[in-house]
Amino acid sequence: MTTQKGSGPKRGGGLAMLLPTVMLAGGLGAGGWWLGESLVLTQTVSEGRTVADMAENVGRWASQYGGVHVRTVGANAAIPGSFLTRSVYAPNDGDHGVLQGARVESALAERAAMDRVEAYHWKNPALIQREVADVITASGSKARYRMTARTVLNKNNEPTAFEREALDAIGAATEAAGAPGKGAFKHGVADPTREYWKVSQGQLFYARSVVAQASCLRCHDKAEGAPEFMRTNAQFSGGGGFGYVSGKPAGLISVSVPLPPTTTALSASLPPQAWLALGAAAFGALWLLGLALRRSR
């Protein structure tokens, strides 16, 4: 009789201890996992912002010079990719006279003058940004970016489904805030009038609003004022890309960054001390669980 009376309270105390112990262990595990996922997302969003910063600064650098000119030498030199205008010059008066027919020279002299002719191909800031994006893609980098807008000159830059979603979300946030969304972007501070992101199929898709600069208007103000190359080249017949206003949002920088698995990211980023602390917490939770199970028998 005495043994049975003593075992009842012992078993009841073990069962009473079991539930909070399981809750503690489960809470620690779930909380740690969700914290890890949050840290991974925060870090990946930061990477997206960094890529967008780089793209924005490339455009800002090119804008302060009104774009750049790529120089080639020789009439048969390879064309340096896409460009908007080209200016050709003879390097000296003698060659200029030969090429204009003002001086009668031998065929050899004419070929030599052609080999010295210089051409300057103008690339505007947006084109430079796109070429940098192409270089990043060709390098095999997992983080990539592109430029887009609601309407575009180049059909290859038409917005994707995510980018249309981002344009709508940023536009709605800007309208609700009653602000144009053109202020200085604060790195690390979420601003729905300037940025939008989502996770899909293991990728973070990040978008940031681009504000038109004065240099953008040389190509994007009115169609009739755009460079002739843009007006006559089928590549720039996307049906839009005009009507920009300096200081107002004009389009997006769109970035895609792979979202690493939580376990991989944590193992690479947490210091040994953090793993020791987590291991001690897990061991303590398992110890308590084992004691509770023993008392419940």
Side-chain angles (χ1 to χ4, degrees):
M1 294 295 292
T2 304
T3 303
Q4 291 176 350
K5 290 179 181 178
S7 63
K10 182 179 180 182
R11 185 180 297 111
L15 290 173
M17 185 179 177
L18 181 61
L19 180 58
T21 304
V22 170
M23 291 176 64
L24 173 63
L28 284 174
W33 181 260
W34 289 332
L35 177 61
E37 286 188 331
S38 177
L39 290 174
V40 169
L41 178 59
T42 299
Q43 180 178 346
T44 308
V45 170
S46 180
E47 291 178 14
R49 285 174 172 155
T50 300
V51 174
D53 286 344
M54 184 272 295
E56 203 165 31
N57 288 328
V58 166
R60 189 174 292 115
W61 169 80
S63 294
Q64 69 181 341
Y65 303 114
V68 299
H69 285 84
V70 179
R71 173 178 174 265
T72 60
V73 178
N76 296 321
I79 295 176
S82 299
F83 59 92
L84 300 182
T85 63
R86 177 170 57 188
S87 302
V88 181
Y89 302 93
N92 55 64
D93 292 340
D95 285 350
H96 179 76
V98 171
L99 297 174
Q100 293 296 319
R103 293 180 54 182
V104 178
E105 298 285 352
S106 66
L108 183 61
E110 185 175 349
R111 284 197 297 272
M114 293 291 288
D115 289 338
R116 289 190 293 267
V117 71
E118 298 178 354
Y120 293 84
H121 306 78
W122 178 61
K123 298 175 182 283
N124 69 345
L127 185 52
I128 295 168
Q129 287 173 306
R130 197 199 75 192
E131 291 193 358
V132 171
D134 291 341
V135 170
I136 291 174
T137 299
S139 73
S141 173
K142 294 181 179 179
R144 302 178 180 183
Y145 81 87
R146 65 192 298 267
M147 312 293 294
T148 189
R150 289 193 183 277
T151 64
V152 294
L153 293 169
N154 188 338
K155 293 182 179 181
N156 292 330
N157 298 329
E158 287 183 344
T160 63
F162 162 73
E163 289 159 354
R164 288 192 294 271
E165 181 180 326
L167 286 164
D168 291 341
I170 292 173
T174 301
E175 184 177 354
K182 65 178 182 180
F185 179 78
K186 297 180 181 179
H187 188 83
V189 179
D191 181 357
T193 69
R194 287 297 313 276
E195 63 177 358
Y196 176 82
W197 69 81
K198 68 181 295 185
V199 175
S200 178
Q201 298 179 344
Q203 291 273 330
L204 172 77
F205 295 96
Y206 173 91
R208 180 185 298 177
S209 177
V210 174
V211 176
Q213 306 294 320
S215 60
C216 301
L217 304 187
R218 181 173 178 182
C219 296
H220 296 281
D221 185 6
K222 296 179 180 178
E224 56 270 22
E228 181 181 0
F229 182 83
M230 295 176 61
R231 298 195 306 269
T232 59
N233 194 313
Q235 179 185 0
F236 301 102
S237 60
F242 297 107
Y244 286 15
V245 178
S246 180
K248 292 189 176 182
L252 291 177
I253 299 172
S254 177
V255 180
S256 63
V257 184
L259 193 70
T262 302
T263 52
T264 302
L266 289 177
S267 64
S269 58
L270 287 182
Q273 298 90 332
W275 284 113
L276 287 173
L278 289 173
F283 179 77
L286 291 173
W287 191 357
L288 286 174
L289 182 60
L291 290 175
L293 289 172
R294 288 181 61 185
R295 293 192 64 180
S296 66
R297 292 175 183 174

